[in-house]
């Protein structure tokens, strides 16, 4: 490494901070005010167990709130249209696409992101399983894959059926169930077989 | 995304009144379709009324043996509901064939009925589209129309209705319950809820300004084998090229509704009448008046083959 310690993360953080700072000011001036009220809206969230208080333009997606306002950059922006699943987070116990929802719609709710599942020192079992089974290559989709995978195991445990469920009242763990339920998370590197292996491991099922 | 103001409604009456009084206001529930379209500036509401806290999230049995589904019941919860799984399995199956787990956790019953077409020319703002901008023309007729509708289409629009859930609702003769801006409730049979494009493809539902969907009511269950077969370009998380919702009775009779081929969820009584004559007869009746393009003519064959596959499946089970 060169002596000036230039890192990709540092560069990204610097540019993210700039990007976050300037448009917010510009937008605030451009938004029409209704009934004399402020266009910015107070939003309270509990993110990874921490209460946060924000003033947000109502247009701010939950994804942008996490990344640009709370600097939780683990959650990724892929397509920003609900097609790729990179932005998957868990809100009030359910996985959703954070790009297709507004933060103001979640005032008072609990959000769990990849940063809240585990830390490098204390990994979530699903994070550990993804490492053991090499469930990624470039890693961009991985936070969304892991959040989705954690929720999928809960959904199967809760008996929620899927398109792959043969009898609607008999929901059981299988690779076919995992593949169907994970179809909203796209992986450009096609790490799919290893993701399924990681999920089986984390679920305590035998690895094929 | 264009700027808008936002309010969280606390009663159905207040939501309907606010929607009728603010020009350019829209309700937002799950938001999975609306926000997508707002990012592309296909939808440009000036005011959003968040209806997520109206308490319309219950599923209840009705006095005459049917089921009343709150407009805010999420797709996941509706598909997993015990009564729906047991008595209206075709609805569970249709819901589970649609979208992804993440989207179904957010998308609502009312919102699903109102979701907009996936015609690529509706989505591409550089192209003309009579549905997006009345009178601007249609890019699809001479364009890539493989995914588009062949029934109920007009000279102005060949967009397909994208919903799976609504096809099952149509099969089950659901009724859409609403409240108007004046506080009056009304019930719209699902057959009349979605409008055919005609020369006004930008008008898609029978809802009046400010009118809000409060619930969807299903009549008492239809006995028989409930099936939903969806044919698409990949095995999961894709819109239908053709889908068939059906209930096969023990007497050899059946009823059918179709997705992916109509400008709205498609059902023809004559197709039900032909049930005992087999797949070919049902397909012929259902496809009466079909108008295809070079790209989507294959859907006629696909409908017949999908029906034939369902018949074979029923025979194997009998």
């Amino acid at each position: 490494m060169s002596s000036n310690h230039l890192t990709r993360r540092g560069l990204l953080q610097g540019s993210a901070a700039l990007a976050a700072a300037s448009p917010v000011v510009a937008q605030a001036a451009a938004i029409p005010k209704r009934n004399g009220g402020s266009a910015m809206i107070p939003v309270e969230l509990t993110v990874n167990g921490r209460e946060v208080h924000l003033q947000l333009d109502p247009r701010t997606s939950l994804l942008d709130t996490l990344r640009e306002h709370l600097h939780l950059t683990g959650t990724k922006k892929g397509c920003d249209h609900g097609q790729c699943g990179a932005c998957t987070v868990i809100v009030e116990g359910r996985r959703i696409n954070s790009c297709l929802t507004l933060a103001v719609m979640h005032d008072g709710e609990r959000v769990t992101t990849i940063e809240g599942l585990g830390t490098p020192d204390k990994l979530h079992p699903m994070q550990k399983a993804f490492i053991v089974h090499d469930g990624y290559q470039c890693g961009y989709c991985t936070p969304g894959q892991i959040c989705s995978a954690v929720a999928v195991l809960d959904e199967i445990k809760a008996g929620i059926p899927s398109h792959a469920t043969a009898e609607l009242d008999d929901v059981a763990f299988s690779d076919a169930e995992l593949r169907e339920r994970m179809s909203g998370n796209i992986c450009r590197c096609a790490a799919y077989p290893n993701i399924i292996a990681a999920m089986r491991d984390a679920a305590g099922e035998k690895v094929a | 995304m264009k700027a808008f103001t936002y309010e969280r409604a606390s009663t159905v009456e207040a939501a309907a009144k606010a929607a009728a009084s603010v020009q350019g206001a829209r309700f937002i529930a799950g938001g999975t379709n609306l926000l997508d379209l707002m990012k592309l500036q296909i939808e440009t509401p000036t005011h959003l009324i968040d209806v997520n806290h109206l308490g319309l999230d219950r599923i209840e049995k009705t006095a005459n043996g049917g089921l009343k589904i709150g407009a805010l019941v999420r797709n996941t919860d509706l598909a997993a509901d015990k009564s729906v799984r047991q008595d209206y399995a075709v609805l569970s199956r249709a819901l589970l064939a649609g979208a992804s787990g993440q989207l179904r956790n957010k998308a609502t019953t009312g919102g699903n009925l109102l979701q907009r077409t996936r015609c690529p020319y509706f989505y591409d703002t550089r192209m003309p589209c009579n549905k997006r901008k009345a009178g601007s023309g249609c890019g699809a007729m001479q364009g890539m129309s493989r995914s588009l509708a062949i029934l109920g289409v007009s000279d102005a629009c060949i967009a397909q209705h994208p919903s799976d859930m609504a096809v099952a609702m149509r099969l089950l003769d659901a009724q859409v319950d609403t409240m108007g801006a004046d506080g009056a409730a009304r019930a719209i049979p699902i057959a009349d809820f979605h409008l055919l494009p005609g020369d006004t493809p930008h008008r898609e539902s029978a809802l009046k300004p400010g009118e809000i969907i409060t619930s969807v009511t299903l009549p008492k269950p239809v006995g028989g084998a409930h099936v939903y077969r969806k044919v698409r370009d990949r095995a999961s998380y894709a819109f239908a090229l053709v889908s068939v919702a059906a209930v096969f009775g023990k007497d050899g009779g059946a009823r059918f509704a179709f997705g992916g081929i109509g400008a709205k969820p498609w059902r023809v009584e004559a197709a039900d009448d032909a049930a005992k004559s087999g797949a070919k007869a049902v397909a012929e009746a259902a496809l009466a008046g079909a108008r295809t393009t070079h790209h989507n003519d294959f859907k006629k064959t696909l409908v017949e083959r999908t029906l034939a596959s369902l018949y074979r499946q029923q025979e194997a089970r009998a």
Side-chain angles (χ1 to χ4, degrees), chain B residues 38-267:
Chain B
M38 284 168 66
K39 288 182 185 196
L40 299 165
Q41 297 190 13
I42 294 165
E43 293 268 12
T44 52
T46 58
H47 185 59
L48 283 187
I49 302 161
D50 184 342
V51 295
N52 281 295
H53 302 272
L54 300 183
L56 302 172
D57 53 1
R58 282 185 295 275
I59 302 174
E60 299 158 327
K61 293 244 162 86
T62 63
N64 56 2
L67 203 64
K68 187 177 157 191
I69 302 156
L72 291 167
V73 172
R74 309 288 155 174
N75 286 177
T76 298
D77 298 321
L78 185 54
D81 181 78
K82 208 167 170 357
S83 301
V84 176
R85 281 197 239 185
Q86 265 170 20
D87 300 330
Y88 305 96
V90 65
L91 179 56
S92 280
R93 290 292 180 195
L95 283 158
L96 296 172
S100 66
Q102 290 97 315
L103 291 168
R104 289 193 298 272
N105 277 343
K106 207 80 181 78
T108 63
T109 306
N112 190 314
L113 284 178
L114 291 170
Q115 71 174 298
R116 307 202 66 191
T117 185
R118 294 286 162 167
C119 174
Y121 298 90
F122 174 72
Y123 265 80
D124 186 347
T125 52
R126 295 163 302 181
M127 299 297 290
C129 172
N130 288 320
K131 191 182 272 300
R132 176 164 30 78
K133 192 171 178 227
S136 63
C138 174
M141 305 249 180
Q142 305 299 322
M144 299 294 286
S145 51
R146 181 173 173 273
S147 63
L148 302 180
I150 60 173
L151 288 161
V153 298
S154 72
D155 288 339
C157 184
I158 57 170
Q160 86 284 38
H161 196 276
S163 174
D164 293 297
M165 183 199 80
V167 176
M169 297 279 199
R170 180 71 186 85
L171 182 81
L172 296 168
D173 286 328
Q175 153 195 307
V176 183
D177 309 310
T178 69
M179 181 173 280
D182 56 358
R186 75 168 170 143
I188 308 168
I190 191 151
D192 303 330
F193 182 79
H194 296 103
L195 305 181
L196 288 178
D199 51 12
T200 54
H202 55 287
R203 294 183 58 232
E204 295 176 353
S205 84
L207 293 177
K208 295 173 188 156
E211 191 171 11
I212 183 171
I213 301 173
T214 52
S215 58
V216 175
T217 303
L218 302 178
K220 63 182 183 201
V222 185
H226 285 224
V227 293
Y228 188 79
R229 179 71 64 84
K230 181 173 180 178
V231 184
R232 43 186 160 173
D233 283 335
R234 52 179 191 230
S236 182
Y237 197 21
F239 288 94
L241 290 168
V242 164
S243 73
V244 180
V247 178
F248 287 90
K250 285 199 175 99
D251 61 349
R255 62 161 84 184
F256 304 94
F258 301 85
I261 55 173
K264 65 182 207 173
W266 204 254
R267 178 144 180 241

Side-chain angles (χ1 to χ4, degrees), chain A residues 30-34 39 41 57-61 80-85 88 94-97 99-102 104-109 144 148 151 155 158-171 179-186, chain B residues 1-8 22-23 28-33 35-40 46-48 50 52-53 74 76-77 79-80 82 84-86 89-90 92-93 96-97 99-106 118 228 230 232 234-237:
Chain A
I31 292 170
K33 291 185 192 274
R34 180 179 296 275
I41 295 181
D57 181 317
R59 284 176 288 189
T60 317
S61 67
D80 208 26
H81 286 279
Q83 296 171 5
C84 76
T88 303
R94 300 181 146 209
R95 58 179 170 140
I96 63 167
N97 298 114
C99 74
L100 278 190
T101 196
L102 301 171
V104 290
M105 292 162 66
H106 295 280
D107 187 34
E109 296 185 2
S148 208
E155 287 164 17
I160 293 170
S162 86
H163 182 63
T165 310
E167 298 294 330
L168 287 173
D169 279 327
D170 184 17
V171 179
R179 280 196 287 268
E180 162 60 26
R181 290 168 192 266
M182 291 296 287
S183 70
N185 291 84
I186 311 294
Chain B
M1 201 184 287
K2 297 273 189 192
F4 57 82
T5 47
Y6 169 91
E7 72 174 281
R8 195 181 258 209
V22 183
Q23 186 81 27
I28 187 162
T32 52
N33 191 207
L35 288 168
D36 185 23
L37 294 169
M38 284 168 66
K39 288 182 185 196
L40 299 165
T46 58
H47 185 59
L48 283 187
D50 184 342
N52 281 295
H53 302 272
R74 309 288 155 174
T76 298
D77 298 321
K82 208 167 170 357
V84 176
R85 281 197 239 185
Q86 265 170 20
V90 65
S92 280
R93 290 292 180 195
L96 296 172
S100 66
Q102 290 97 315
L103 291 168
R104 289 193 298 272
N105 277 343
K106 207 80 181 78
R118 294 286 162 167
Y228 188 79
K230 181 173 180 178
R232 43 186 160 173
R234 52 179 191 230
S236 182
Y237 197 21

